[in-house]
Amino acid sequence: MTNLTAGPPLVTLPGFLAHWQGHRRLTRRVIEAFPEDQLFTFSAAPPMRPFGALAWEIQQVSELTLTGLLTGEWIEPDWRGGTSTDRARLLRHWDALSARLDAEFLQVDPAFFGQTHRLPWGEMSGWEAAIYTIDNEIHHRGQGYVYLRALGTEPPAFYER
Amino acid sequence: MTNLTAGPPLVTLPGFLAHWQGHRRLTRRVIEAFPEDQLFTFSAAPPMRPFGALAWEIQQVSELTLTGLLTGEWIEPDWRGGTSTDRARLLRHWDALSARLDAEFLQVDPAFFGQTHRLPWGEMSGWEAAIYTIDNEIHHRGQGYVYLRALGTEPPAFYER
């Protein structure tokens, strides 16, 4: 493989994986922090979706991104797969993907990050696709923090991963 | 400088700068989207702070991070500097830092990202410090989206940078 870099990397594959997994652990704690009867029903500002629906979106986009980075195929998920209102089922899918990330992410070709890919929502580099996935998770999870506060529940510490 | 990498970079300095500035442009639009009398007063879930206070925090942490990456000095800001409730003043500071980022960020030594630094809130690598700053911006801006929705205002599109 040609070495295209002129210096040390801003972040390595293991560093990026640790970053992603830290966010997944925090989002998992937010999912768990909701009162069970509010996770899929409550919105602090309707028509915004309940946090359970946002969490399923995060899960499906993350799955798409890992598969895309590994195979070059970016297939829009069947969003109906994210309509279950069973927290235990959501967490099972969540944990399975986290395990898959640990097992497979380091096999991603670093060159993939610099190349342009065609995603269901437009053309972007692998870096942009990967970081967008995490950004979208942080964005929606931040909204979940407001929901929790509105429900009178202390959210998990943002800086703890 | 020794080349420590084994392959192409996940992200380059210009790529990271574009990522950061895209977020700053979006957050600026969120600051502007608030009704002026609500920016520094409204909270969708008290005791959460109004979005204007969160935006000042983002601004001060971003300033600290740019200076830290450039000089190795990570100095806790005087948070009282972020208590103005004048939107025009906030936007002037915001734009001045965005211009500074464009002018100075590419001078950051890439090796800095892999080294460990002592920040006011703990030891971390330059990558972790830099990406944490952006993550914190996304987190609080996501909260601002809920505030805007609660105020009946359509927030700017998340994917537009």
Side-chain angles (χ1 to χ4, degrees), chain A residues 68-149:
Chain A
L69 288 170
L70 284 164
T71 66
E73 294 189 20
W74 306 82
I75 300 156
E76 180 146 20
D78 180 351
W79 299 109
R80 289 170 303 178
T83 53
S84 157
T85 57
D86 176 344
R87 169 154 57 191
R89 180 161 184 264
L90 169 59
L91 290 176
R92 273 199 308 277
H93 280 254
W94 196 268
D95 293 340
L97 180 60
S98 297
R100 231 192 104 197
L101 261 178
D102 271 339
E104 301 176 17
F105 184 78
L106 297 184
Q107 300 162 25
V108 173
D109 178 357
F112 239 68
F113 282 80
Q115 295 159 356
T116 301
H117 306 281
R118 188 183 301 268
L119 271 72
W121 32 85
E123 288 203 344
M124 59 186 81
S125 70
W127 152 259
E128 287 168 326
I131 202 73
Y132 184 91
T133 296
I134 300 176
D135 289 357
N136 186 58
E137 173 165 357
I138 300 166
H139 174 69
H140 284 318
R141 189 183 57 215
Q143 298 173 336
Y145 273 60
V146 185
Y147 290 17
L148 283 175
R149 289 279 184 200

Side-chain angles (χ1 to χ4, degrees), chain A residues 1 3 5 7-11 19 23 45 48 110-111 113 127 131-132 135 138-139 142-143 145-146 149-150 158-159, chain B residues 1 3 5 7-12 19 23 45 48 110-111 113 127 131-132 135 138-139 142-143 145-146 149-150 158-159:
Chain A
M1 181 186 298
N3 188 336
T5 66
L10 303 198
V11 58
H19 177 62
H23 279 299
M48 290 186 75
F113 282 80
W127 152 259
I131 202 73
Y132 184 91
D135 289 357
I138 300 166
H139 174 69
Q143 298 173 336
Y145 273 60
V146 185
R149 289 279 184 200
F158 176 69
Y159 51 82
Chain B
M1 179 184 298
N3 188 334
T5 65
L10 271 55
V11 59
T12 60
H19 177 63
H23 279 299
M48 290 185 76
F113 283 79
W127 152 257
I131 202 73
Y132 183 91
D135 290 355
I138 300 166
H139 173 69
Q143 297 172 339
Y145 273 59
V146 185
R149 289 280 183 196
F158 176 69
Y159 51 82

